[in-house]
Amino acid sequence: MKFFAPSLILFLIMSTPYHSMAQNYTLVWSEEFDAHSEIDSASWTFEKGYIRNFEKQYYTDNRPENCRIEDGKLVIEARKEPFEGYDYTSASLTTQGRKEFLYGRIEVKAKLPTGVGAWPAIWMLGTNIEEVGWPLCGEIDIMENVGYDPDNVHGNVHTKAYNHNLGTNKGNMIEVQSPYTEYHVYAVDWTPEKIDFFVDEEHYFTFENDGQGNAKTWPYDQPHYLILNLAIGGFWGGQKGIDDEIFPQRYEIDYVRYYDISEE
């Protein structure tokens, strides 16, 4: 048996990645974007048109100018152009009806767009949204960034009891070095007890199950689907306006991975 001084033990604990201390990870599904020349319709579908949040873009449906696989990366590109009565185009991919997730680790490696008006996100919605609506279905914002505040990344949850419309949403933000010039890994570890949020293995927020069995505060015992989108403007992304000189803007995703989590 080896003896470690208390200070050394503390150092070892603090040096161990947060999520790896008590859990094992088994890769269940991944999208590496280097095995296909086109978007895999077995995993992804497209939102189309105007969808939400007073955003200014038109989401196009599998249009290469706005979404394509390029050099092993998924590229979502927002453009300043007239299209279907809108001044901007972009894309929003979702696994709705294709892939759903309940607990586990969801991990996305991405390089973000930037500039005033850009609003990229990696997020999830409950698959029961069409039956119960938002926010009772639950929302997990794995990563959000607004271009007028480019070095801060946000992680949030929205539920019936905790959401931005009420001013009660739960979340936190973390400063990330050059998320628009470097790839970073954005992730959540989701268990029946809590959801932990990470950037590059740095843990910065936890939302805990209050144990009341109430969908208004914990709708996260139901499957969710994943969304990757680049919005332009909107109630948050457009708070400082839109700088038309920034376009086109590229949102690049290297991979999406989903792991089963088991206790060691």
Side-chain angles (χ1 to χ4, degrees):
M1 179 182 291
K2 294 183 179 180
F3 174 80
F4 294 98
S7 59
L8 180 56
I9 293 173
L10 179 60
F11 171 79
L12 291 171
I13 292 173
M14 294 181 66
S15 301
T16 304
Y18 178 90
H19 73 269
S20 66
M21 291 194 297
Q23 294 161 333
N24 285 319
Y25 293 80
T26 302
L27 184 63
V28 176
W29 170 76
S30 71
E31 178 64 270
E32 306 293 330
F33 300 112
D34 54 7
H36 308 284
S37 59
E38 298 180 351
I39 308 300
D40 183 7
S41 61
S43 297
W44 304 99
T45 187
F46 288 84
E47 296 187 290
K48 184 178 179 180
Y50 169 78
I51 306 297
R52 57 187 158 254
N53 295 335
F54 305 106
E55 297 161 9
K56 301 303 182 183
Q57 80 289 331
Y58 185 97
Y59 282 135
T60 63
D61 184 4
N62 205 14
R63 180 176 182 245
E65 290 89 343
N66 298 117
C67 189
R68 60 190 177 272
I69 294 176
E70 184 178 296
D71 298 325
K73 308 288 194 301
L74 174 68
V75 176
I76 298 175
E77 183 172 305
R79 301 164 65 94
K80 173 75 170 76
E81 59 179 338
F83 194 92
E84 298 291 340
Y86 288 75
D87 294 325
Y88 308 91
T89 60
S90 187
S92 178
L93 278 79
T94 167
T95 67
Q96 186 177 24
R98 269 71 169 173
K99 300 284 184 183
E100 60 184 43
F101 312 94
L102 177 60
Y103 310 133
R105 178 177 177 86
I106 297 94
E107 183 178 276
V108 180
K109 184 177 181 181
K111 182 168 67 174
L112 306 185
T114 193
V116 175
W119 184 5
I122 302 164
W123 55 302
M124 306 181 79
L125 287 171
T127 58
N128 61 348
I129 187 170
E130 294 181 0
E131 290 76 38
V132 304
W134 184 95
L136 189 57
C137 67
E139 176 178 332
I140 304 170
D141 297 328
I142 300 171
M143 185 287 302
E144 287 188 280
N145 172 267
V146 287
Y148 65 80
D149 186 21
D151 296 312
N152 285 312
V153 163
H154 301 255
N156 289 283
V157 298
H158 298 278
T159 73
K160 184 72 171 179
Y162 308 122
N163 65 79
H164 64 272
N165 288 339
L166 299 177
T168 56
N169 67 285
K170 304 293 185 179
N172 199 5
M173 68 179 185
I174 182 172
E175 185 173 354
V176 179
Q177 184 176 0
S178 302
Y180 38 85
T181 60
E182 304 292 337
Y183 287 89
H184 295 273
V185 177
Y186 305 97
V188 293
D189 283 3
W190 173 17
T191 70
E193 293 78 31
K194 61 181 180 175
I195 306 172
D196 291 317
F197 290 70
F198 302 87
V199 176
D200 295 332
E201 307 297 350
E202 183 174 354
H203 170 244
Y204 69 98
F205 173 57
T206 293
F207 180 71
E208 294 185 346
N209 186 349
D210 62 9
Q212 299 301 309
N214 188 341
K216 294 181 179 180
T217 59
W218 183 264
Y220 304 117
D221 55 359
Q222 300 292 326
H224 280 53
Y225 62 89
L226 182 66
I227 305 167
L228 307 172
N229 74 291
L230 171 51
I232 302 300
F235 76 85
W236 188 13
Q239 285 185 8
K240 305 291 185 180
I242 300 172
D243 180 3
D244 285 345
E245 298 301 315
I246 69 173
F247 296 97
Q249 279 293 314
R250 291 165 58 99
Y251 181 13
E252 300 181 12
I253 295 94
D254 187 18
Y255 63 71
V256 179
R257 296 173 183 170
Y258 172 56
Y259 299 83
D260 179 59
I261 300 176
S262 59
E263 297 295 328
E264 290 184 347

Short mmCIF file of all heavy atoms in Angstrom, two decimals, residues 32 43 51 58 73 94 104 106 122-123 139 149 152 155 183 189 192 198-199 201 204 234 248 250 260:
data_model
loop_
_atom_site.label_atom_id
_atom_site.label_comp_id
_atom_site.label_asym_id
_atom_site.label_seq_id
_atom_site.Cartn_x
_atom_site.Cartn_y
_atom_site.Cartn_z
N GLU A 32 -19.34 10.65 -37.71
CA GLU A 32 -18.00 11.22 -37.89
C GLU A 32 -17.91 12.10 -39.13
O GLU A 32 -16.92 12.80 -39.33
CB GLU A 32 -16.96 10.10 -37.96
CG GLU A 32 -17.00 9.13 -36.79
CD GLU A 32 -16.60 9.76 -35.45
OE1 GLU A 32 -15.78 10.71 -35.48
OE2 GLU A 32 -17.10 9.31 -34.42
N SER A 43 -30.15 9.27 -40.04
CA SER A 43 -29.90 9.91 -38.75
C SER A 43 -30.42 11.33 -38.67
O SER A 43 -30.76 11.80 -37.59
CB SER A 43 -28.39 9.93 -38.46
OG SER A 43 -27.87 8.61 -38.36
N ILE A 51 -38.90 28.98 -38.18
CA ILE A 51 -39.26 28.02 -37.13
C ILE A 51 -39.58 28.69 -35.80
O ILE A 51 -40.60 28.39 -35.18
CB ILE A 51 -38.13 26.99 -36.93
CG1 ILE A 51 -37.75 26.32 -38.25
CG2 ILE A 51 -38.53 25.93 -35.90
CD1 ILE A 51 -38.86 25.51 -38.89
N TYR A 58 -34.05 31.87 -43.25
CA TYR A 58 -34.89 30.80 -43.76
C TYR A 58 -34.06 29.54 -43.73
O TYR A 58 -32.98 29.47 -44.32
CB TYR A 58 -35.32 31.11 -45.20
CG TYR A 58 -36.31 30.12 -45.78
CD1 TYR A 58 -37.67 30.39 -45.78
CD2 TYR A 58 -35.87 28.93 -46.35
CE1 TYR A 58 -38.58 29.49 -46.32
CE2 TYR A 58 -36.77 28.02 -46.89
CZ TYR A 58 -38.12 28.30 -46.88
OH TYR A 58 -39.01 27.41 -47.42
N LYS A 73 -16.04 17.05 -42.46
CA LYS A 73 -16.73 17.89 -41.48
C LYS A 73 -18.13 18.19 -42.00
O LYS A 73 -18.36 18.31 -43.20
CB LYS A 73 -15.99 19.21 -41.26
CG LYS A 73 -14.51 19.10 -40.93
CD LYS A 73 -14.28 18.58 -39.54
CE LYS A 73 -12.84 18.78 -39.07
NZ LYS A 73 -11.85 18.10 -39.96
N THR A 94 -31.70 17.97 -37.46
CA THR A 94 -32.27 17.37 -36.27
C THR A 94 -32.37 15.85 -36.44
O THR A 94 -32.54 15.36 -37.56
CB THR A 94 -33.66 17.97 -35.96
OG1 THR A 94 -34.33 17.17 -34.98
CG2 THR A 94 -34.53 18.04 -37.21
N GLY A 104 -27.01 9.18 -20.79
CA GLY A 104 -25.77 8.96 -21.50
C GLY A 104 -24.99 10.25 -21.68
O GLY A 104 -25.34 11.31 -21.14
N ILE A 106 -23.63 12.93 -24.45
CA ILE A 106 -23.74 13.46 -25.80
C ILE A 106 -22.58 14.44 -25.98
O ILE A 106 -22.42 15.37 -25.19
CB ILE A 106 -25.09 14.14 -26.05
CG1 ILE A 106 -26.24 13.12 -25.92
CG2 ILE A 106 -25.12 14.76 -27.44
CD1 ILE A 106 -26.87 13.07 -24.57
N ILE A 122 -26.13 23.77 -30.09
CA ILE A 122 -26.21 22.31 -30.01
C ILE A 122 -27.20 22.05 -28.88
O ILE A 122 -26.94 22.40 -27.73
CB ILE A 122 -24.86 21.67 -29.67
CG1 ILE A 122 -23.78 22.06 -30.69
CG2 ILE A 122 -24.98 20.15 -29.55
CD1 ILE A 122 -22.36 21.78 -30.20
N TRP A 123 -28.35 21.44 -29.19
CA TRP A 123 -29.37 21.36 -28.15
C TRP A 123 -30.31 20.18 -28.39
O TRP A 123 -30.22 19.51 -29.41
CB TRP A 123 -30.13 22.67 -28.02
CG TRP A 123 -30.77 23.22 -29.26
CD1 TRP A 123 -30.16 23.54 -30.45
CD2 TRP A 123 -32.15 23.56 -29.44
NE1 TRP A 123 -31.08 24.06 -31.34
CE2 TRP A 123 -32.29 24.09 -30.76
CE3 TRP A 123 -33.27 23.48 -28.61
CZ2 TRP A 123 -33.52 24.52 -31.26
CZ3 TRP A 123 -34.50 23.91 -29.10
CH2 TRP A 123 -34.61 24.43 -30.42
N GLU A 139 -35.96 20.94 -22.52
CA GLU A 139 -34.93 21.38 -23.47
C GLU A 139 -33.59 21.34 -22.76
O GLU A 139 -33.47 21.76 -21.60
CB GLU A 139 -35.23 22.80 -23.95
CG GLU A 139 -34.15 23.38 -24.86
CD GLU A 139 -34.50 24.78 -25.37
OE1 GLU A 139 -35.70 25.09 -25.48
OE2 GLU A 139 -33.56 25.56 -25.64
N ASP A 149 -21.06 38.29 -28.24
CA ASP A 149 -20.32 37.92 -27.03
C ASP A 149 -19.55 36.63 -27.34
O ASP A 149 -19.83 35.58 -26.79
CB ASP A 149 -21.30 37.71 -25.87
CG ASP A 149 -20.62 37.46 -24.55
OD1 ASP A 149 -19.43 37.83 -24.39
OD2 ASP A 149 -21.27 36.87 -23.65
N ASN A 152 -17.82 33.57 -24.89
CA ASN A 152 -18.57 32.91 -23.83
C ASN A 152 -19.53 31.89 -24.41
O ASN A 152 -20.26 32.18 -25.36
CB ASN A 152 -19.35 33.93 -22.99
CG ASN A 152 -18.44 34.71 -22.06
OD1 ASN A 152 -17.60 34.13 -21.37
ND2 ASN A 152 -18.58 36.03 -22.05
N GLY A 155 -24.54 26.94 -21.29
CA GLY A 155 -25.28 25.70 -21.14
C GLY A 155 -26.51 25.97 -20.29
O GLY A 155 -26.41 26.61 -19.24
N TYR A 183 -11.41 24.12 -32.72
CA TYR A 183 -12.43 23.14 -32.37
C TYR A 183 -12.40 22.88 -30.87
O TYR A 183 -11.34 22.77 -30.27
CB TYR A 183 -12.21 21.83 -33.11
CG TYR A 183 -12.55 21.88 -34.58
CD1 TYR A 183 -11.60 22.27 -35.52
CD2 TYR A 183 -13.83 21.57 -35.02
CE1 TYR A 183 -11.92 22.33 -36.87
CE2 TYR A 183 -14.16 21.62 -36.37
CZ TYR A 183 -13.19 22.01 -37.29
OH TYR A 183 -13.51 22.07 -38.62
N ASP A 189 -23.25 15.04 -19.64
CA ASP A 189 -23.45 13.73 -19.05
C ASP A 189 -24.82 13.75 -18.39
O ASP A 189 -25.06 14.53 -17.47
CB ASP A 189 -22.38 13.42 -18.00
CG ASP A 189 -21.05 13.04 -18.61
OD1 ASP A 189 -20.91 13.06 -19.84
OD2 ASP A 189 -20.11 12.75 -17.84
N PRO A 192 -30.23 9.74 -14.52
CA PRO A 192 -31.52 10.00 -13.87
C PRO A 192 -31.44 11.01 -12.73
O PRO A 192 -32.46 11.58 -12.34
CB PRO A 192 -31.92 8.61 -13.34
CG PRO A 192 -31.22 7.65 -14.25
CD PRO A 192 -29.91 8.30 -14.55
N PHE A 198 -20.14 20.29 -19.92
CA PHE A 198 -18.69 20.36 -20.07
C PHE A 198 -18.30 21.10 -21.35
O PHE A 198 -19.02 21.04 -22.35
CB PHE A 198 -18.08 18.95 -20.17
CG PHE A 198 -18.36 18.04 -19.02
CD1 PHE A 198 -19.51 17.27 -18.99
CD2 PHE A 198 -17.47 17.95 -17.96
CE1 PHE A 198 -19.78 16.42 -17.94
CE2 PHE A 198 -17.73 17.09 -16.89
CZ PHE A 198 -18.88 16.32 -16.88
N VAL A 199 -17.14 21.74 -21.30
CA VAL A 199 -16.41 22.15 -22.49
C VAL A 199 -14.99 21.63 -22.34
O VAL A 199 -14.32 21.94 -21.35
CB VAL A 199 -16.41 23.68 -22.67
CG1 VAL A 199 -15.54 24.06 -23.88
CG2 VAL A 199 -17.80 24.22 -22.86
N GLU A 201 -13.88 18.85 -21.40
CA GLU A 201 -13.79 18.12 -20.13
C GLU A 201 -13.87 19.02 -18.89
O GLU A 201 -13.82 18.53 -17.76
CB GLU A 201 -12.51 17.26 -20.05
CG GLU A 201 -12.32 16.33 -21.21
CD GLU A 201 -13.41 15.28 -21.32
OE1 GLU A 201 -14.22 15.16 -20.40
OE2 GLU A 201 -13.45 14.60 -22.34
N TYR A 204 -18.77 22.86 -15.86
CA TYR A 204 -19.09 24.22 -15.45
C TYR A 204 -20.54 24.40 -14.99
O TYR A 204 -20.90 25.50 -14.54
CB TYR A 204 -18.77 25.21 -16.58
CG TYR A 204 -19.64 25.12 -17.80
CD1 TYR A 204 -20.71 26.00 -17.98
CD2 TYR A 204 -19.41 24.17 -18.80
CE1 TYR A 204 -21.51 25.93 -19.11
CE2 TYR A 204 -20.21 24.10 -19.94
CZ TYR A 204 -21.26 24.98 -20.08
OH TYR A 204 -22.05 24.91 -21.20
N GLY A 234 -32.81 36.98 -34.08
CA GLY A 234 -33.66 36.38 -33.06
C GLY A 234 -33.61 37.16 -31.76
O GLY A 234 -32.86 38.12 -31.60
N PRO A 248 -20.36 35.10 -45.78
CA PRO A 248 -20.97 33.90 -45.17
C PRO A 248 -20.25 33.48 -43.89
O PRO A 248 -19.07 33.77 -43.70
CB PRO A 248 -20.82 32.84 -46.25
CG PRO A 248 -19.58 33.25 -46.99
CD PRO A 248 -19.56 34.75 -46.98
N ARG A 250 -19.48 30.06 -41.37
CA ARG A 250 -19.43 28.60 -41.35
C ARG A 250 -19.42 28.07 -39.93
O ARG A 250 -18.64 28.52 -39.09
CB ARG A 250 -18.16 28.11 -42.06
CG ARG A 250 -18.15 28.32 -43.55
CD ARG A 250 -16.75 28.16 -44.11
NE ARG A 250 -16.17 26.85 -43.84
CZ ARG A 250 -16.14 25.85 -44.72
NH1 ARG A 250 -16.66 26.00 -45.93
NH2 ARG A 250 -15.58 24.68 -44.40
N ASP A 260 -23.19 5.37 -23.82
CA ASP A 260 -23.88 4.86 -22.65
C ASP A 260 -22.98 5.09 -21.43
O ASP A 260 -21.75 4.94 -21.51
CB ASP A 260 -24.19 3.37 -22.80
CG ASP A 260 -24.88 2.80 -21.59
OD1 ASP A 260 -25.95 3.29 -21.22
OD2 ASP A 260 -24.31 1.85 -21.00
#
